Amino acid sequence: MARAGSIASSRSPDTLKPGGSEKESHPWQIRLVEHPKRFESDAALPYGPRPAGSEHWEMHHGGSLWVKGNRGWRMYRARVGIEWSMQFCAEPVKVDRLRQEAAELVDAFPLTLPALAELGYEEADELLHTPIKNADGVESWTDSLFNACVPMSHGNHQGLLPKVPGEHHYPWPVKGADFVRYDDFQLWVTLPDGTHGAVAPVDRRGSGDGHVRLMHVPEGSKAADTLAEAQDQGLMAVLPPNSPTALQAFGKQIDPGRRTAAGPLATGRARRNGQGSR
């Protein structure tokens, strides 16, 4: 078992300590201030193997609904996770709906609360079954096991492209594909204007179709307006198989030197990975 990683202090700072500022010629300025100190939880949960290399688990406020079944611990994700800063705009009655949903799930796994008590979470039962009526209740829920303990590596948590996309900076409907995609499909690509975006295949693996659909681009990208227009019209923004973007996305699935992503998989790819989605 691994210690519950660092999570944010549940108290807001008395003062915001300056850490610098960023500004441009037009009238805006952003102050950089210190984040409230983090602390190590005394309780533990079986998060599984630690991330590779020197990385450690970071606890993401992503709606972590831990339960224990006959085969051990499982974590489900809540309908909504409350990021630490978002507690200050959270309405108690709406957060209480999340508590009720969590309680219903945990109650369906009767092994959970006794096991949590043994691990040091004696307050779990009371937390789940006490209505949230004010800011104190919101604060308690925000930094609780049932919201703030989604274990992630640093990259998947807070990373930035071009190295690795983190959940704090990229939309979950796209980022979530990192955990289910084929290893030889490049989800995150460099676009022609130098910005970074995400793409998806338009047909099954082995279909021979090398087109890719734009799923996410940053607002500053030249492709942003095109993607927004496509979404407004209920259409897809698609790049051709011979585009640099498609060749990046399918680069590990095609033979070296090919000038198009269309066509058969590289030798051995279909055998090793099956004929699933391409």
Side-chain angles (χ1 to χ4, degrees), residues 8-42:
S9 168
S10 60
R11 293 188 176 183
S12 58
D14 294 331
T15 58
L16 295 177
K17 299 180 181 179
S21 63
E22 294 288 339
K23 63 181 178 180
E24 292 184 5
S25 57
H26 49 82
W28 67 266
Q29 182 175 11
I30 299 175
R31 296 184 64 201
L32 304 181
V33 301
E34 292 184 8
H35 192 282
K37 298 297 182 182
R38 294 176 178 266
F39 63 89
E40 295 292 329
S41 170
D42 293 329

Side-chain angles (χ1 to χ4, degrees), residues 101-159:
E101 292 168 2
E104 184 174 358
L105 176 66
V106 173
D107 286 346
F109 290 85
L111 299 177
T112 302
L113 291 175
L116 286 176
E118 290 181 8
L119 289 171
Y121 290 96
E122 295 90 352
E123 74 283 3
D125 192 348
E126 180 180 0
L127 181 70
L128 280 173
H129 298 101
T130 300
I132 296 172
K133 299 179 177 180
N134 51 39
D136 287 342
V138 171
E139 180 182 275
S140 296
W141 185 260
T142 298
D143 273 333
S144 75
L145 168 70
F146 301 110
N147 181 69
C149 287
V150 177
M152 288 186 168
S153 67
H154 176 75
N156 282 320
H157 186 199
Q158 302 180 48

Side-chain angles (χ1 to χ4, degrees), residues 103-267:
E104 184 174 358
L105 176 66
V106 173
D107 286 346
F109 290 85
L111 299 177
T112 302
L113 291 175
L116 286 176
E118 290 181 8
L119 289 171
Y121 290 96
E122 295 90 352
E123 74 283 3
D125 192 348
E126 180 180 0
L127 181 70
L128 280 173
H129 298 101
T130 300
I132 296 172
K133 299 179 177 180
N134 51 39
D136 287 342
V138 171
E139 180 182 275
S140 296
W141 185 260
T142 298
D143 273 333
S144 75
L145 168 70
F146 301 110
N147 181 69
C149 287
V150 177
M152 288 186 168
S153 67
H154 176 75
N156 282 320
H157 186 199
Q158 302 180 48
L160 291 168
L161 289 171
K163 291 184 177 181
V164 61
E167 187 167 330
H168 273 271
H169 302 287
Y170 302 93
W172 175 246
V174 179
K175 170 60 187 172
D178 263 332
F179 301 105
V180 297
R181 64 178 173 82
Y182 279 102
D183 290 340
D184 60 6
F185 180 75
Q186 186 68 30
L187 174 68
W188 302 97
V189 295
T190 301
L191 300 171
D193 63 1
T195 60
H196 299 96
V199 295
V202 299
D203 204 347
R204 294 180 177 183
R205 185 185 187 89
S207 68
D209 193 324
H211 289 83
V212 290
R213 177 183 179 181
L214 276 177
M215 301 299 296
H216 169 72
V217 297
E219 289 186 10
S221 171
K222 294 179 180 178
D225 289 343
T226 300
L227 182 58
E229 182 179 354
Q231 292 174 338
D232 285 344
Q233 297 183 27
L235 303 173
M236 297 192 300
V238 175
L239 295 170
N242 63 348
S243 66
T245 305
L247 290 172
Q248 284 180 67
F250 291 122
K252 294 181 180 180
Q253 295 185 14
I254 61 178
D255 290 317
R258 277 218 334 233
R259 296 184 178 181
T260 177
L265 294 169
T267 304

